[in-house]
Amino acid sequence: MTGVAVLPADAAPAAPYAAVGDAPAGSGASNIVSGSVLGTLNRVSASALPAFVDAHRADLDRLLVNPPQASDVSGLWKLLDPVKQAALLNASPHVVGNLEGIPYTVRGRANALDLSRTIADTTTQLATENGKAVRIELQRKLTTLGNVKKALTAEDGVKRTLITLDTSDDAKASIVIGDLSTAHYVNFLVPGMYMSVGEQIVDWANTAQNLYDQQTDWLRRILGPRGGQGTPGVATVAWIGYQTPVLMNIGGISLAEQGADSLERSLEGLQALRQANPPYLSLFAHSYGSTAALLALERHTVTVDALALLGSPGSDAQSVAALSVHNGNVFVGQATLDPIVHSAFFGSDPGSPSYGAQPMGVDGGVDPVTHRSLSGSSGHNEYFAAGSESMRNLALIGIDKGSMVMGGSGGGDDGAPPVVQTASGH
């Protein structure tokens, strides 16, 4: 019977796409839309899951194209016993690794498995392929995957987790520095043009590591001993979750809209998993990536605690009031000789006084707290340079210490000592 999947004998006798009707109250899974392949998983035995996945692989893959609500996925995952969870992970690591709402530790294991299998499969294909063009493409893919693997190498004992992996031609990947499941402070780094996974994922992960290190140092300095409670956890996300533009397509907004969709899903996933203990959440977005971030925050489906825009060409939003940012906590960094700032290329100028954002120093100087010399950012691409005033300010913004930002309205560059405060309700 063409097109009809027959379940193994030990699968539960449910309709192939029935919704989960017997979910416990409050589980979240009861809201899964009827007709989704997800609705059947809880009724399939662990031993039957591999065959079920093979029969419905296309349907599972479509979940990543038109994903369900992260809260629904989270509720369903909790309904699956550990044996079923492990079986599903092994049978379909790509789906498990990229579906928002599944715990990050699980997604990390799934994506690591998917990465390892894809490298092995691509290596085998390359060994038997004779066509030059295909060989070049396979080698390019291997290089990209090898760089993702390299970017996962932990530094200073801080774990790195691969929470997004798309190995298609326009590869996507997101690597977390720290523990995204428990961190008190979470920062997403959103890149602009020419930030491909194959060429930049290692550097982008190292930038996230540098931010993580600075924030941890600042927290120790500001908070000091806390009665054995330890320093609040930090997690930084080197996020390349969309196809960033190149010179040929930078003038359009379609990729920014795709980036906004992907970023919105990532933030919804975090908020679904951290509903009981929400972190202080910040977005640090550069160039075209700032437009993607602005578009996501204009929808008011997700809210962040802080937003920093660096070298931004703007969006339709004309002021911080149009953005879903807690207390209008928006900062703007603008380097000397950056041709993008004040361009209002996509509709607004976040650096204009009428926009209402707080200015963030990026020109360099001496840190009034540590007395260290800080380098300045010049042009469009130096905002994330290690040892810069820009990175120092981003580190403080991300731990709810915007009052200490140099060049900002809250002072910070007047030599005053830092004020010890608790994070705003988080």
Side-chain angles (χ1 to χ4, degrees):
M1 294 184 293
T2 304
V4 178
V6 179
L7 295 181
D10 58 351
Y17 298 109
V20 177
D22 53 355
S27 68
S30 59
N31 296 323
I32 294 176
V33 178
S34 178
S36 169
V37 67
L38 285 176
T40 307
L41 287 176
N42 192 47
R43 302 181 183 185
V44 179
S45 68
S47 60
L49 262 177
F52 177 84
V53 168
D54 283 340
H56 299 285
R57 195 167 295 278
D59 299 306
L60 287 167
D61 288 341
R62 277 194 288 271
L63 291 175
L64 300 180
V65 178
N66 187 23
Q69 291 291 323
S71 57
D72 289 342
V73 175
S74 177
L76 173 67
W77 185 259
K78 293 175 184 177
L79 291 178
L80 299 178
D81 63 56
V83 175
K84 287 184 180 180
Q85 291 176 353
L88 184 59
L89 186 156
N90 185 68
S92 189
H94 181 64
V95 174
V96 172
N98 292 277
L99 203 54
E100 295 293 345
I102 293 178
Y104 295 114
T105 53
V106 177
R107 288 172 61 183
R109 291 196 299 271
N111 284 322
L113 177 59
D114 191 28
L115 178 63
S116 176
R117 287 180 179 176
T118 307
I119 289 175
D121 291 345
T122 307
T123 300
T124 299
Q125 293 177 49
L126 185 60
T128 57
E129 177 60 51
N130 293 321
K132 182 177 180 180
V134 177
R135 286 181 61 84
I136 291 174
E137 186 63 24
L138 289 172
Q139 186 57 62
R140 185 186 72 83
K141 184 174 184 178
L142 269 180
T143 299
T144 295
L145 297 174
N147 284 336
V148 172
K149 185 175 181 179
K150 181 180 179 181
L152 284 170
T153 303
E155 291 187 8
D156 299 326
V158 182
K159 75 174 184 177
R160 297 188 176 191
T161 306
L162 183 62
I163 60 167
T164 304
L165 177 64
D166 178 357
T167 61
S168 63
D169 291 343
D170 297 315
K172 302 172 186 67
S174 299
I175 294 176
V176 180
I177 315 299
D179 191 343
L180 199 54
S181 301
T182 62
H184 196 91
Y185 301 101
V186 171
N187 313 264
F188 277 73
L189 296 175
V190 184
M193 67 185 297
Y194 287 120
M195 286 292 288
S196 69
V197 172
E199 295 180 357
Q200 275 82 36
I201 189 62
V202 173
D203 289 341
W204 203 226
N206 288 338
T207 296
Q209 177 79 54
N210 179 264
L211 182 64
Y212 174 95
D213 292 341
Q214 286 201 48
Q215 289 182 328
T216 301
D217 287 344
W218 275 112
L219 285 169
R220 290 170 180 161
R221 176 184 292 272
I222 294 171
L223 298 178
R226 303 186 70 210
Q229 296 180 18
T231 303
V234 171
T236 55
V237 185
W239 189 87
I240 307 183
Y242 77 116
Q243 179 190 348
T244 61
V246 296
L247 191 60
M248 301 300 292
N249 55 11
I250 188 67
I253 204 169
S254 62
L255 292 180
E257 291 172 338
Q258 293 173 28
D261 292 341
S262 181
L263 183 60
E264 180 182 32
R265 286 194 295 270
S266 294
L267 299 180
E268 286 176 339
L270 176 68
Q271 293 179 351
L273 290 172
R274 297 290 304 273
Q275 187 174 8
N277 60 335
Y280 187 88
L281 176 59
S282 302
L283 294 185
F284 301 149
H286 175 235
S287 188
Y288 194 87
S290 72
T291 299
L294 288 168
L295 291 175
L297 295 174
E298 288 169 27
R299 300 171 181 176
H300 298 281
T301 55
V302 291
T303 301
V304 300
D305 295 292
L307 170 68
L309 305 170
L310 306 163
S312 178
S315 70
D316 286 341
Q318 297 299 310
S319 72
V320 299
L323 305 174
S324 192
V325 181
H326 189 64
N327 289 334
N329 195 29
V330 180
F331 294 80
V332 173
Q334 301 176 135
T336 304
L337 303 181
D338 185 341
I340 301 302
V341 302
H342 300 311
S343 68
F345 192 85
F346 291 119
S348 62
D349 176 12
S352 67
S354 63
Y355 199 86
Q358 302 177 57
M360 181 187 108
V362 299
D363 294 330
V366 177
D367 191 310
V369 178
T370 66
H371 307 294
R372 295 172 183 163
S373 294
L374 302 168
S375 62
S377 304
S378 178
H380 190 58
N381 295 312
E382 296 182 359
Y383 294 103
F384 296 104
S388 65
E389 180 186 9
S390 177
M391 280 294 282
R392 179 259 191 204
N393 286 337
L394 291 176
L396 288 165
I397 291 168
I399 58 171
D400 195 18
K401 291 292 179 282
S403 61
M404 293 172 62
V405 165
M406 295 172 64
S409 59
D413 55 354
D414 57 2
V419 177
V420 178
Q421 301 173 340
T422 58
S424 300
H426 289 267

